[in-house]
């Protein structure tokens, strides 16, 4: 597709934003209808359990609906709007704008609920669309754009597992009496599983908090530094 003029791209992006906003509510309701179920939670005071409505995915079909619909949305936005940009950088910015808009609109209600009642807002049903859109956006970026996909496809973490498999096999070849080699086969399987699916750990919430804080600070610094550079030191503060 030939690059569009700036005005044409702006109009297409604006139309995409408007269409996305109108799509968010029925889309999220559709996802919720295929995810909702009752779930029991232990009371903090230890007096039995509390049954609440939940939308946490529990089947592969539910995950397929959420991820598939988000990837289809991104592919459509890319084909109809973002590819009109002059280069891949602008294309990615346009696509990111559309995805961020969907995330913002779909999570605005829950954001208001959190501000109004921080304690109880986390109970019950949740908004699924932002939860699916965020990983799908970055997954789409890794799959479609020219980037570091080879690092993950045939680099890490696969390379670590092949090294562990070599350790298991090498020990057996060196000594026929060795049952497990330089590394136990069971240990290799456990660590491979941890590498592939990232087994939840009690430190995970703290790591996610630090990552979110670092991400916000990093991009804020980039914006401030770029503003100062472009404006000769003015407007950065």
């Amino acid at each position: 597709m030939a690059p569009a003029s700036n005005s044409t791209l702006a109009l297409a992006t604006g139309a995409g934003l408007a269409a996305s906003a109108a799509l968010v509510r029925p889309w999220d309701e559709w996802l919720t209808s295929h995810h909702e179920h009752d779930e029991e939670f232990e009371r903090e005071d230890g007096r039995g359990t509390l049954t609440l409505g939940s939308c946490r995915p529990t089947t592969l079909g539910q995950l397929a609906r959420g991820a598939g619909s988000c990837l289809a949305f991104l592919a459509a936005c890319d084909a109809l709007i973002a590819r009109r940009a002059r280069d891949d950088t602008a294309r990615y910015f346009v696509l990111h704008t559309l995805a961020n808009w969907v995330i913002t609109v779909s999570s605005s209600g829950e954001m208001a609920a959190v501000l109004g009642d921080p304690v109880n807002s986390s109970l019950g049903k949740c908004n699924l669309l932002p939860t699916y859109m965020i990983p799908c956006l970055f997954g789409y970026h890794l799959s479609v754009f020219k980037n570091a996909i080879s690092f993950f496809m045939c680099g890490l973490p696969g390379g670590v597992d092949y090294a562990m498999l070599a350790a298991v096999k090498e020990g057996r070849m060196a000594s026929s009496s060795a049952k497990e080699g330089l590394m136990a086969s069971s240990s290799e399987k456990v660590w491979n599983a941890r590498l592939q699916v990232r087994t939840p750990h009690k430190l995970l919430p703290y790591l996610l908090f630090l990552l979110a804080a670092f991400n916000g600070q990093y991009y804020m610094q980039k914006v401030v530094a770029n503003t100062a550079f472009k404006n000769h030191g003015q407007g950065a503060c």
Side-chain angles (χ1 to χ4, degrees):
M1 181 181 293
S5 64
N6 291 337
S7 59
T8 301
L9 181 60
L11 287 174
T13 303
L17 293 174
S20 299
L23 181 66
V24 163
R25 184 176 180 84
W27 186 2
D28 192 60
E29 289 178 349
W30 175 76
L31 282 178
T32 302
S33 68
H34 287 88
H35 284 69
E36 57 187 355
H37 61 278
D38 289 334
E39 192 168 351
E40 291 188 349
F41 299 87
E42 292 186 4
R43 295 179 180 270
E44 292 186 357
D45 56 12
R47 296 185 299 176
T49 59
L50 180 65
T51 302
L52 296 171
S54 175
C55 293
R56 185 172 60 179
T58 56
T59 67
L60 290 177
Q62 292 172 347
L63 290 173
R65 286 186 183 92
S69 61
C70 287
L71 290 173
F73 169 82
L74 292 170
C77 289
D78 192 14
L80 298 175
I81 301 174
R83 286 182 183 272
R84 298 174 181 269
R86 295 187 179 278
D87 53 39
D88 270 357
T89 301
R91 173 188 166 198
Y92 177 67
F93 288 160
V94 171
L95 188 62
H96 215 300
T97 298
L98 294 167
N100 284 164
W101 175 243
V102 169
I103 293 168
T104 301
V105 172
S106 60
S107 60
S108 59
E110 286 193 344
M111 188 66 213
V114 170
L115 294 175
D117 188 1
V119 176
N120 297 313
S121 61
S122 62
L123 299 177
K125 297 179 180 180
C126 61
N127 191 334
L128 295 169
L129 189 50
T131 307
Y132 280 113
M133 184 60 73
I134 293 170
C136 285
L137 173 60
F138 290 101
Y140 188 86
H141 182 209
L142 287 174
S143 302
V144 176
F145 288 77
K146 296 178 181 178
N147 48 50
I149 187 171
S150 297
F151 180 87
F152 299 100
M153 181 179 290
C154 203
L156 292 177
V160 176
D161 184 47
Y162 278 112
M164 293 189 294
L165 288 171
V168 173
K169 185 68 175 178
E170 185 63 23
R172 288 176 175 172
M173 296 295 293
S175 174
S176 59
S177 61
K179 292 183 178 181
E180 295 296 345
L182 300 177
M183 184 178 190
S185 178
S186 58
S187 297
E188 180 275 328
K189 294 183 183 301
V190 169
W191 281 105
N192 184 27
R194 289 175 176 173
L195 286 172
Q196 300 299 332
V197 301
R198 299 178 184 181
T199 304
H201 190 275
K202 61 183 180 180
L203 293 178
L204 184 58
Y206 300 99
L207 293 176
L208 292 176
F209 171 78
L210 292 174
L211 179 61
F214 171 79
N215 184 72
Q217 293 294 316
Y218 174 80
Y219 283 104
M220 181 179 69
Q221 186 272 337
K222 286 288 187 181
V223 170
V224 171
N226 185 261
T227 301
F229 176 77
K230 294 290 186 180
N231 294 282
H232 307 290
Q234 302 298 317
C237 298

